[in-house]
């Protein structure tokens, strides 16, 4: 299903059509190429998309090649019209599968992996400063089901409502797919 356009409030609709119980609802699963086509409309937005692709490329280089990222915030709103400003960042909640190189790995490699996770994947301050991404992450492998569900429900409830108005809105779920990321980067070209 294509990413839906903005509604009259400048938000993605929380569901498509008149039936609120329909399966055509947020989060809208998509790939980076469609995100670039839909949201790469200004220089500021293209810059943020390049940063998101850089972050996803970093993850892929470490072996995080499957999972999903929820994308939200003013980036997936018509903030230019609503507040007369560009989006300042992209809110990203990543749910990632453990890279295969860590399955049954030696303790030294696991320590390196934990450091990478802490310092790059889930380092919100670093990612906000250097990439303008507000990042949060959950590693699926080893996370108890109850903890995983609690985290997903928290982020779903947070991302499905606008912070200031509490208006119900839609958001994106971008599939982790390094090939799509490369195609999206090519679509954006150089800065």
């Amino acid at each position: 299903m294509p990413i839906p356009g903005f509604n009259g409030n400048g938000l993605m609709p929380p569901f498509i059509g008149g039936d609120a119980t329909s399966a055509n609802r947020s989060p809208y699963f998509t790939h980076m190429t469609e995100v670039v086509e839909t949201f790469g409309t200004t220089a500021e937005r293209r810059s943020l998309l390049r940063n998101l692709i850089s972050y996803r490329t970093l993850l892929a280089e470490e072996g995080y090649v499957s999972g999903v990222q929820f994308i939200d915030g003013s980036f997936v709103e018509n903030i230019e019209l609503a507040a007369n400003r560009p989006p300042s960042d992209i809110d990203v909640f990543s749910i990632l599968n453990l890279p295969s190189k860590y399955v049954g790995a030696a303790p030294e490699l696991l320590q390196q992996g934990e450091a990478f996770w802490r310092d790059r994947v889930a380092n919100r301050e670093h990612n906000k400063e250097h990439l303008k991404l507000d990042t949060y992450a959950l590693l699926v492998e080893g996370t108890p089901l109850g903890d995983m569900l609690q985290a997903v429900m928290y982020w779903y409830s947070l991302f499905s409502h606008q912070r200031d108005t509490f208006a119900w809105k839609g958001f994106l779920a971008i599939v982790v797919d390094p090939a799509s990321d490369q195609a999206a980067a090519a679509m954006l070209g150089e800065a």
Side-chain angles (χ1 to χ4, degrees):
M1 171 193 327
I3 297 171
F6 297 123
N7 64 19
N9 296 325
L11 306 173
M12 271 193 292
F15 59 91
I16 303 297
D19 182 4
T21 63
S22 166
N24 297 328
R25 60 185 321 102
S26 175
Y28 300 105
F29 279 77
T30 188
H31 290 272
M32 279 303 303
T33 51
E34 189 174 8
V35 175
V36 166
E37 288 172 352
T38 304
F39 292 101
T41 56
T42 65
E44 293 91 349
R45 286 177 173 277
R46 287 189 296 276
S47 177
L48 289 172
L49 285 166
R50 284 185 193 93
N51 292 348
L52 178 59
I53 292 169
S54 293
Y55 179 68
R56 290 167 61 96
T57 299
L58 178 74
L59 296 176
E61 288 170 352
E62 185 64 17
Y64 293 96
V65 294
S66 65
V68 67
Q69 290 179 315
F70 291 156
I71 305 298
D72 192 47
S74 62
F75 186 79
V76 296
E77 300 175 10
N78 192 351
I79 195 69
E80 291 88 348
L81 185 61
N84 198 31
R85 68 169 179 85
S88 56
D89 65 5
I90 302 176
D91 298 348
V92 182
F93 172 54
S94 302
I95 304 171
L96 301 169
N97 292 309
L98 184 70
S100 60
K101 70 180 184 180
Y102 295 127
V103 176
E108 301 82 32
L109 184 58
L110 291 176
Q111 287 176 340
Q112 291 173 1
E114 288 171 4
F116 180 84
W117 181 269
R118 179 187 63 246
D119 298 340
R120 296 309 307 272
V121 177
N123 188 334
R124 181 175 176 242
E125 292 77 23
H126 177 272
N127 294 329
K128 183 87 165 169
E129 179 181 343
H130 296 282
L131 297 172
K132 295 184 179 180
L133 301 176
D134 196 2
T135 57
Y136 305 87
L138 175 68
L139 185 61
V140 174
E141 182 75 20
T143 302
L145 181 60
D147 293 347
M148 185 176 72
L149 289 174
Q150 185 175 17
V152 169
M153 288 186 291
Y154 170 79
W155 288 103
Y156 179 84
S157 67
L158 185 68
F159 279 11
S160 64
H161 291 84
Q162 194 175 41
R163 178 181 12 187
D164 297 334
T165 67
F166 304 110
W168 191 21
K169 66 178 192 144
F171 61 99
L172 300 179
I174 306 174
V175 176
V176 174
D177 178 4
S180 177
D181 293 353
Q182 289 175 352
M187 290 168 64
L188 287 169
E190 296 296 320

